[in-house]
Amino acid sequence: MSFENLFDYSAAQYEVVLGVFTLTAAVFAAVLVYSLATAGSIAPRYRLTSYLTGVVMVSAFIELGLLALRWSGSFSWDGSRYVQMGDLFSNGFRYMNWSIDVPVLLTQLLIVAGITGLAFRRRWAAFVIAGLAMIWTGYVGQFDEVSGGAQFWVWGAISTVFYLWLLYVAWQTIRDAKASAPTEGIRRLFSYVWGLFLVSWTIYPVAYLMPQISATVEGVVARNLIYSFADIASKAVYGILLAVIAQKLSAHRGYQPSVEAEAAFIDETV
């Protein structure tokens, strides 16, 4: 049982959590529109990254909608507080969504980094295996989050091992992308991707550990704020950043729609 079900909530606390779900879903909807609208200005060899961002945004939007519905259906106003009544709230939707999004997000990185052939297949396999193992072992561990027993810590530690493997493969990919990048500006953007990856992916474990860090109403609010910040950074901001890199790579290779889009951006900012 998710530890969110252990507490009653003031109107403000309840609305903050529901508002965070709504805001995050709105961000994903906006980035979906952006990714589809800008796909045509990216060369065909990189364009798949924009469509994959669209897949991630749709998947994540549905997840947030389900979370909002479950939150609304799990608590009722009794005149002074929102109390647990009806369905139990569950973060399981997050893990199912991550099972879709994590492999897709990492595939995007390989495409924009220009990894091809056998190296692409090997790293893609490593990303998928490490990513899914990280998610599913964490999912098993979170079933024991209320008591904080051995299952919670052991499976959380196993999940962390797979995360470190994933992180290493991501570092290799970004290192190779920077080595082959045609300009200093593109190399700098790949450095931003690495920084974003480190920050956004590393704060997820903080949310996982929140029932042991602060088993309080405030801990519930904090956990959902952390999850939403991490989701926006690791999916929405990440997808936009990869699209910018793909557009710049396309322009450098002389793809005319990218060249025109770059020129229009410069004209608007001068």
Side-chain angles (χ1 to χ4, degrees):
M1 182 175 67
S2 298
F3 92 128
E4 283 88 348
N5 297 295
L6 300 179
F7 308 102
D8 298 337
Y9 300 91
S10 68
Q13 292 161 341
Y14 176 88
E15 292 294 339
V16 165
V17 175
L18 185 60
V20 165
F21 293 152
T22 305
L23 172 63
T24 309
V27 170
F28 292 150
V31 175
L32 171 63
V33 173
Y34 168 85
S35 64
L36 296 178
T38 59
S41 65
I42 296 173
R45 66 177 296 175
Y46 303 115
R47 189 175 299 157
L48 182 58
T49 189
S50 289
Y51 297 142
L52 291 178
T53 293
V55 171
V56 171
M57 294 303 106
V58 171
S59 171
F61 180 86
I62 293 172
E63 173 230 338
L64 266 296
L66 291 172
L67 283 172
L69 288 173
R70 180 59 70 92
W71 181 258
S72 299
S74 298
F75 302 95
S76 297
W77 182 252
D78 71 353
S80 60
R81 308 279 292 178
Y82 278 94
V83 298
Q84 208 292 315
M85 189 179 299
D87 296 330
L88 291 175
F89 180 77
S90 173
N91 279 300
F93 295 120
R94 296 188 187 275
Y95 289 86
M96 298 304 102
N97 171 248
W98 294 333
S99 296
I100 297 170
D101 290 351
V102 166
V104 175
L105 291 166
L106 297 171
T107 301
Q108 289 179 263
L109 179 61
L110 291 171
I111 293 170
V112 176
I115 308 298
T116 58
L118 182 60
F120 180 96
R121 292 191 292 274
R122 285 178 173 173
R123 291 191 187 176
W124 183 83
F127 273 147
V128 172
I129 294 170
L132 292 180
M134 174 188 71
I135 294 162
W136 293 344
T137 52
Y139 182 52
V140 173
Q142 63 93 38
F143 282 110
D144 197 26
E145 68 178 26
V146 172
S147 63
Q151 176 178 317
F152 177 82
W153 295 103
V154 170
W155 286 105
I158 294 172
S159 178
T160 301
V161 171
F162 285 113
Y163 170 60
L164 293 175
W165 178 23
L166 186 153
L167 198 64
Y168 174 69
V169 180
W171 173 79
Q172 285 182 311
T173 302
I174 292 174
R175 177 201 62 192
D176 294 347
K178 291 172 67 176
S180 62
T183 68
E184 180 58 34
I186 294 175
R187 283 191 288 274
R188 186 165 54 251
L189 288 172
F190 275 115
S191 294
Y192 295 158
V193 172
W194 176 239
L196 181 66
F197 196 98
L198 278 176
V199 173
S200 61
W201 286 59
T202 303
I203 64 175
Y204 279 108
V206 177
Y208 176 87
L209 292 170
M210 190 56 69
Q212 311 310 316
I213 296 172
S214 177
T216 63
V217 174
E218 290 74 18
V220 170
V221 175
R223 172 151 87 163
N224 284 281
L225 287 170
I226 291 169
Y227 269 142
S228 293
F229 172 82
D231 276 351
I232 290 172
S234 66
K235 298 175 185 179
V237 178
Y238 174 87
I240 292 172
L241 188 52
L242 289 185
V244 171
I245 294 173
Q247 189 174 77
K248 289 186 177 296
L249 287 168
S250 301
H252 182 81
R253 293 177 178 274
Y255 185 65
Q256 195 58 35
S258 299
V259 174
E260 293 171 358
E262 290 273 285
F265 175 79
I266 293 172
D267 289 343
E268 290 176 1
T269 54
V270 171

